[in-house]
Amino acid sequence: MNDPYSTTKLRDTLLAISGLVIYARLREDPAIFTLKNMITDILSEDYKSQSDMRTVNHLAKITESYTSLFGLLMGSDFAQIPDFGAYVFSLAQNDDNAFTKMASETRNGSSDSAISPDMHALVLSDMHRLITIASFPARAITDLLHVPLAPDLPTWRHDTTGLTENDLYTSLFEYHRSRSFGVFARYHAFIWKNSQLQPVIHPDPISLDQLFSYEYEINQARENTLRLLRHSRADNVLLFGSRGTGKSSTVKAIANEYKDRGLRLIEIDKDDLLSIPDLLEYLSQLTNTFLSFILFLDDLTFPEEDTRFTVLKTVLEGGIKKRPDNVAIYATSNRRHIVAEKDSSETYANDAHDELLSLSDRFGISVRFSSPNQQIYLNIVYGILSDRKIEIDREVVAQKALTWAMRENGRSPRTARQFADYYESVMDSPDK
C-alpha cells in the first residue's frame, strides 16, 4: 500500500474499533463489523507483494465490502449522502452500557459526580476511539480501489472537525440524563414477547385530548400514573367495561402524554404471562433511573380452566418479592371479574368462588367505563369532528351518527370514531 495517509487511517481505525471498552458492543453493529473486517482484509495484504495486492479477486472482495458498508449507512434513505460520523455517534447515543445507565441515574443531579473517576477515564478513552472511528474517510478505501479495474464508488461524509473527547462525553452525558439510555432513549412503547423487549417503531399516536366525555375515568388512571412517575406507591389498575369505550386508548394516550417524563409502556400478551417475573427482575434494576413502566395487559380474560391467572395474582400481590416502585400493571377487560365462571347449575363452594374473583380484587384501582347515553355519544362525535376542523350541521350529523350506531356496534366512543372517519371521507369525496 503506497499511500501512507490511507495506511495510517486504516490502522488507527482498526485499533480504535478493537480497543473499545465501555462501548464494546458497538463492534456488533453490522456497519462497524463490516468496516473492521474490510480493514483487516486490506492490512493483511500489506505484507504481501504489490502484485498480490492488486489482484482482481482481492479488489472485488474489498469493493463488495465497501458497497455493503455504504448500503448499511444509507439504510432506506437514498436521497442524501450518508454521514458516517453521525452514524457512529448515533450508535453511541443509543448504546446500553454501565456509563449510560449511571448517567440516567443523575437526572436530578447537577453534575456527573455520580460517575466514578475510573469510569470517567474509561469513557474518555472510548470517546477518543469513537471520534477516530467517526472520522474515518471514505477515500482511505476509494483511493485504494481507484484503478481501471474498479468503477468510481460513492463516498460518505464524516465531519468531526474540532470535536474533542470532552465535548463528546458532555454531549452524551447530558443526553442520557435527559432521555435515558439504550433502547429506552429511542422508544417509549414495547412488546414483551419470548422474554425479550421488542420496541414498537410506530406506536398508536392517540392523545388524551382526543378522548372525549370520560374525564373522571381518565383522571383516575392519570393520577395514579403521576404517582408512578414519582416512584411513589402507585397502584395496579383495572380498566373494565363495555367494549369500545376507550379503555385501551386511555392507557396508550397516558403513555404518549408522559413519555418525556420517563414513562415507558410494555404490552404483554397473555401467552407471555409466565415470564413476567423475569421482566420485573430486569426492571427492578432500573429503579434508580427516572424511568417508570406500565405493564399493559390488554383485553384480559381467562377461562376458568386457565391456571395462568394464578401467576398474575402472585405478581399483583402475594408473592415474596415486592413489586418495584417504578412498575405498575394496567389491565383492560370487558368483565369486572377477569376469570370467567362456567355456566353451571352447580353451587360453588365459597373458597372456589373466592379463588376466581380474587384476581380482580388484587388491582388497587378499578375504573369502570360504561357505554355512553345518546347525548354523550353525540358529544363524542361532535368533539372528534371539531378536533379535525370539520364544519358540520349538528342535526344532520346527529341523524347520520345515530343511524350508524344502530346499524353497526351500538353507541360507544369506538363507534363514534368509526362514524367520524366515514363522515370525513365522505366530506372529502368529490362526489359528495
Side-chain angles (χ1 to χ4, degrees):
M1 195 181 308
N2 294 327
D3 186 352
Y5 168 82
S6 294
T7 302
T8 300
K9 281 294 182 181
L10 290 169
R11 289 176 176 170
D12 287 351
T13 303
L14 180 60
L15 290 172
I17 295 173
S18 302
L20 290 171
V21 179
I22 303 299
Y23 287 85
R25 192 176 300 173
L26 267 59
R27 290 196 288 267
E28 300 172 11
D29 175 76
I32 303 300
F33 183 80
T34 300
L35 176 63
K36 179 176 182 290
N37 286 344
M38 179 171 58
I39 294 175
T40 301
D41 286 341
I42 294 172
L43 293 178
S44 68
E45 297 293 332
D46 197 22
Y47 302 100
K48 297 183 179 180
S49 68
Q50 187 68 21
S51 59
D52 288 336
M53 184 62 181
R54 297 288 181 174
T55 61
V56 173
N57 286 341
H58 187 68
L59 286 172
K61 182 179 180 181
I62 302 303
T63 302
E64 182 177 354
S65 296
Y66 180 87
T67 55
S68 296
L69 172 58
F70 193 87
L72 290 169
L73 296 178
M74 289 196 71
S76 59
D77 185 2
F78 295 96
Q80 295 189 12
I81 298 173
D83 187 328
F84 186 65
Y87 180 88
V88 172
F89 296 144
S90 177
L91 291 179
Q93 200 172 61
N94 294 308
D95 197 38
D96 181 347
N97 59 53
F99 166 69
T100 60
K101 285 189 175 72
M102 288 180 182
S104 295
E105 294 174 6
T106 64
R107 179 177 174 84
N108 296 320
S110 58
S111 69
D112 63 350
S113 57
I115 309 298
S116 70
D118 289 341
M119 173 63 74
H120 186 271
L122 286 172
V123 175
L124 278 181
S125 294
D126 268 7
M127 296 298 101
H128 178 76
R129 295 183 183 99
L130 289 173
I131 292 172
T132 299
I133 299 167
S135 63
F136 182 76
R139 60 162 287 198
I141 306 296
T142 56
D143 285 357
L144 172 68
L145 299 173
H146 192 68
V147 295
L149 293 174
D152 290 337
L153 295 170
T155 60
W156 58 70
R157 294 181 290 121
H158 64 283
D159 186 13
T160 58
T161 305
L163 182 66
T164 69
E165 50 262 42
N166 283 307
D167 294 334
L168 185 56
Y169 177 96
T170 300
S171 173
L172 289 173
F173 177 83
E174 291 300 329
Y175 177 85
H176 296 306
R177 182 162 66 170
S178 62
R179 294 286 301 274
S180 186
F181 64 93
V183 72
F184 295 123
R186 191 171 181 183
Y187 304 101
H188 80 278
F190 304 85
I191 295 174
W192 175 253
K193 193 170 185 63
N194 299 325
S195 296
Q196 290 186 330
L197 278 177
Q198 301 176 0
V200 178
I201 310 298
H202 302 292
D204 186 343
I206 186 75
S207 62
L208 288 174
D209 58 12
Q210 292 176 307
L211 304 176
F212 301 94
S213 299
Y214 282 83
E215 290 85 358
Y216 173 76
E217 292 83 356
I218 293 170
N219 280 335
Q220 289 188 76
R222 190 211 301 258
E223 289 171 4
N224 187 71
T225 304
L226 292 174
R227 283 193 283 147
L228 176 62
L229 293 175
R230 298 192 299 268
H231 296 186
S232 180
R233 295 186 175 275
D235 285 308
N236 299 311
V237 181
L238 173 64
L239 300 88
F240 72 96
S242 304
R243 56 194 174 92
T245 48
K247 303 180 294 294
S248 301
S249 294
T250 294
V251 178
K252 291 183 285 187
I254 285 175
N256 292 335
E257 178 78 9
Y258 297 110
K259 62 183 180 181
D260 291 336
R261 292 179 58 178
L263 184 61
R264 300 294 179 262
L265 183 68
I266 303 176
E267 184 172 357
I268 303 173
D269 189 82
K270 195 161 61 174
D271 292 336
D272 291 284
L273 284 177
L274 296 179
S275 62
I276 284 185
D278 296 332
L279 176 58
L280 287 174
E281 176 64 28
Y282 170 66
L283 298 180
S284 68
Q285 301 171 24
L286 307 180
T287 53
N288 289 332
T289 71
F290 70 97
L291 294 173
S292 301
F293 300 91
I294 290 177
L295 307 191
F296 182 32
L297 310 178
D298 196 23
D299 197 18
L300 191 63
T301 302
F302 294 97
E304 181 185 344
E305 64 274 10
D306 190 339
T307 58
R308 286 176 299 179
F309 78 89
T310 59
V311 176
L312 183 54
K313 277 177 54 179
T314 301
V315 169
L316 289 167
E317 183 184 341
I320 295 175
K321 297 188 70 172
K322 176 180 175 291
R323 172 170 56 90
D325 291 334
N326 61 336
V327 177
I329 296 174
Y330 285 26
T332 68
S333 178
N334 294 338
R335 305 169 56 95
R336 170 66 177 86
H337 299 301
I338 299 171
V339 183
E341 300 179 26
K342 289 181 179 178
D343 293 330
S344 174
S345 59
E346 297 179 7
T347 301
Y348 278 84
N350 285 336
D351 57 348
H353 186 71
D354 290 344
E355 172 72 8
L356 295 175
L357 301 185
S358 61
L359 176 58
S360 300
D361 293 340
R362 297 194 182 200
F363 287 91
I365 297 175
S366 294
V367 185
R368 182 186 181 107
F369 284 69
S370 301
S371 294
N373 60 31
Q374 178 172 299
Q375 189 56 55
I376 292 177
Y377 166 71
L378 291 176
N379 289 341
I380 295 172
V381 171
Y382 300 150
I384 295 172
L385 293 175
S386 175
D387 189 55
R388 298 180 185 181
K389 296 179 172 53
I390 299 174
E391 294 185 6
I392 63 173
D393 181 323
R394 288 203 170 203
E395 290 186 7
V396 173
V397 167
Q399 182 181 7
K400 292 180 179 292
L402 292 173
T403 301
W404 179 279
M406 292 176 61
R407 190 175 67 241
E408 301 298 333
N409 300 313
R411 294 190 302 263
S412 73
R414 179 184 296 160
T415 304
R417 193 167 299 279
Q418 290 168 346
F419 168 76
D421 292 340
Y422 161 77
Y423 188 82
E424 183 178 13
S425 69
V426 170
M427 293 298 292
D428 288 340
S429 171
D431 301 323
K432 65 180 181 180

